[in-house]
Amino acid sequence: MAGASLHLKSTIPMACVRESGHLRIQLPDKTRNSRVLVLGGTGRVGGSTAIALSKLCPELRIIVGGRNRENGAAMVSTLGVNSEFSEVDINNVTSLEAALNDVDLVVHAAGPFQQTDKCPVLEAAIKTKTAYVDVCDDTTYAQRAKTFYDRAVAANVPAITTGGIYPGVSNVMAAELVRAARSETKVEPERLRFYYYTAGTGGAGPTILATSFLLLGEEVVAYNKGEKIKLKPYSGMLNIDFGRGIGKRDVYLLNLPEVRSAHEILGIPTVSARFGTAPFFWNWGMEAMTNLLPAEYLRDRSKVQQLVQLFDPIVRAIDGIAGERVSIRVDLECSNGRNTVGIFSHRRLSVSVGTSTAAFALAVLEGSTQPGVWFPEEPEGIAVEAREVLLKRAAQGTFNFVMNKPAWMVETDPKELGLGIYV
């Protein structure tokens, strides 16, 4: 790694300027020319991250990591002179460690993360003393990443897992809602609920489709008054108002890592996460797959890949009609009846996921993250004083971003909710 210590001093926040309507970030001199390797950089999520980093910090050196040289050359052409391609196989230790040599930060966006039994990129990052961010959206993988905490501390390596849009930005939104409730009103939060909506695949490609199918094979873990409970995937439908530009959408329970991390780190007794898509028949299809296909089938990566190949052309065609709007709604309910909401809505998930991931990468480069492996809501991962800056950067291009408001102020059809449910 090129100078591990440059990540570890607190230098928050950095200067921001706008040029031609774009936010540009001025990193400190020591990190301004940092080399950032984006694994999965020829894919939808990784490519979006590389483009966002290049726009936010043109002086960064972006290395696009992937297996396809032709696709890599196309991405380098898009990024410009301050970029290069590196052929990397994340399952080959020699290839991975060679790619990480002389790199300051690696962003792991080469999913899906479901049904994998190792963390090869994180291991290689620790061995080569390279700072690390991943966009993991799998509970098992995220918890496995946390087991590398001691090794990361010993190597003086800062690492963030689940540092994308959701989970990622949603975790930081939740942490800020909780902080505000405890510091401003001195009340104790009791219930935290994550709601997500994406039109189609959000333009994010077959990896997102594979992730969705794999999640249908996992029991949903939620928490009810401190008790861990297991529920059927894509069940428990609620109709949630995501505010202007999105409106009311049906969302269903899914097993997502922010549920456990928010319960344990933020100390919230009742936590759950739900997701929904559009057109409406995709929700019906997901529900039918959960009911008709054995869980073992949906946990088999090779079988899921066959499903992806079957459905991908159809999904792409419908995506062209459905668009790719994305919305996050985080609800916090407190012991005194105080209810607050955060909403984050963007017209294009394929853009917003990159901007969000880039915000985490920049936070690490600026020194916001201590050595160890952290979730986004941990103050050692994203310092409390850095959260506002991170959210503002991630929210670039959103058409609706509000925090710490009562529900009636943000909903399209405001009313008191009396759902009588606990998860």
Side-chain angles (χ1 to χ4, degrees):
M1 177 186 176
S5 63
L6 59 85
H7 301 289
L8 305 179
K9 294 181 180 179
S10 180
T11 54
I12 308 161
M14 292 301 106
C16 299
V17 296
R18 285 191 177 273
E19 295 180 13
S20 303
H22 295 292
L23 182 72
R24 296 227 172 148
I25 293 157
Q26 297 175 339
L27 291 169
D29 291 341
K30 289 184 178 180
T31 57
R32 188 168 297 164
N33 302 114
S34 294
R35 293 170 58 84
V36 180
L37 171 65
V38 181
L39 293 174
T42 59
R44 301 289 183 89
V45 176
S48 177
T49 301
I51 290 169
L53 282 169
S54 180
K55 287 181 177 179
L56 287 167
C57 294
E59 293 172 305
L60 288 176
R61 185 76 183 180
I62 309 296
I63 300 100
V64 177
R67 292 178 293 184
N68 187 305
R69 284 193 169 273
E70 184 177 346
N71 291 343
M75 179 55 67
V76 167
S77 177
T78 298
L79 295 173
V81 294
N82 239 23
S83 65
E84 61 187 271
F85 174 72
S86 176
E87 188 170 354
V88 187
D89 180 356
I90 67 170
N91 296 310
N92 183 304
V93 175
T94 303
S95 168
L96 195 51
E97 291 182 0
L100 288 173
N101 279 333
D102 200 33
V103 168
D104 298 294
L105 169 69
V106 58
V107 178
H108 181 12
F113 293 85
Q114 285 72 21
Q115 303 302 319
T116 58
D117 56 4
K118 295 180 181 179
C119 298
V121 179
L122 178 57
E123 287 190 70
I126 292 171
K127 186 173 181 180
T128 58
K129 299 186 184 300
T130 307
Y132 171 95
V133 173
D134 70 41
V135 297
C136 164
D137 51 4
D138 181 68
T139 303
T140 301
Y141 190 101
Q143 293 297 327
R144 185 182 300 116
K146 289 288 285 183
T147 66
F148 288 86
Y149 171 82
D150 289 339
R151 290 171 58 180
V153 170
N156 206 33
V157 169
I160 293 178
T161 186
T162 69
I165 183 169
Y166 62 83
V169 169
S170 57
N171 303 49
V172 179
M173 290 171 65
E176 278 298 276
L177 290 177
V178 170
R179 182 198 60 78
R182 286 177 172 152
S183 63
E184 294 171 11
T185 61
K186 310 300 182 184
V187 297
E188 200 53 34
E190 291 187 336
R191 186 182 307 166
L192 179 67
R193 288 181 285 190
F194 296 95
Y195 302 120
Y196 305 126
Y197 164 77
T198 297
T201 64
T207 298
I208 300 298
L209 196 58
T211 295
S212 300
F213 290 162
L214 288 164
L215 282 170
L216 296 180
E218 297 183 10
E219 275 189 314
V220 173
V221 172
Y223 294 88
N224 182 21
K225 298 180 180 179
E227 178 185 357
K228 179 181 177 180
I229 57 175
K230 293 186 177 181
L231 303 164
K232 184 178 180 179
Y234 235 71
S235 63
M237 187 271 285
L238 294 177
N239 187 249
I240 297 300
D241 194 333
F242 287 89
R244 65 182 177 87
I246 303 291
K248 292 183 177 181
R249 302 290 175 173
D250 293 341
V251 291
Y252 303 75
L253 288 163
L254 274 183
N255 189 42
L256 296 172
E258 57 267 45
V259 171
R260 177 173 171 179
S261 62
H263 170 72
E264 294 180 351
I265 294 162
L266 301 179
I268 313 300
T270 299
V271 191
S272 62
R274 284 175 168 83
F275 167 83
T277 185
F280 63 90
F281 51 76
W282 284 143
N283 288 323
W284 293 355
M286 300 272 274
E287 201 171 7
M289 288 177 67
T290 305
N291 291 327
L292 297 175
L293 295 176
E296 294 76 17
Y297 184 99
L298 292 167
R299 287 195 291 263
D300 187 316
R301 285 172 66 100
S302 62
K303 288 185 171 63
V304 164
Q305 194 55 46
Q306 292 173 5
L307 283 176
V308 170
Q309 291 173 357
L310 176 66
F311 284 105
D312 188 49
I314 304 169
V315 171
R316 284 178 185 269
I318 295 176
D319 273 2
I321 302 169
E324 52 174 292
R325 294 195 175 207
V326 60
S327 188
I328 299 169
R329 173 170 167 163
V330 183
D331 283 34
L332 181 68
E333 300 177 23
C334 297
S335 56
N336 67 344
R338 180 183 191 264
N339 300 333
T340 52
V341 173
I343 288 183
F344 177 109
S345 300
H346 197 287
R347 287 180 176 81
R348 298 184 62 192
L349 173 62
S350 61
V351 173
S352 189
V353 67
T355 307
S356 298
T357 307
F360 282 100
L362 292 170
V364 173
L365 287 174
E366 290 170 343
S368 174
T369 307
Q370 297 180 22
V373 182
W374 310 100
F375 287 113
E377 61 266 49
E378 293 184 275
E380 300 88 349
I382 299 297
V384 173
E385 61 269 27
R387 288 175 182 165
E388 183 179 356
V389 173
L390 184 145
L391 289 175
K392 284 182 177 178
R393 290 172 179 172
Q396 292 299 304
T398 56
F399 61 83
N400 191 17
F401 175 54
V402 295
M403 284 290 296
N404 207 31
K405 302 291 184 182
W408 65 265
M409 289 185 66
V410 298
E411 293 180 341
T412 55
D413 183 19
K415 64 178 183 297
E416 284 292 323
L417 295 179
L419 299 174
I421 58 170
Y422 295 94
V423 298

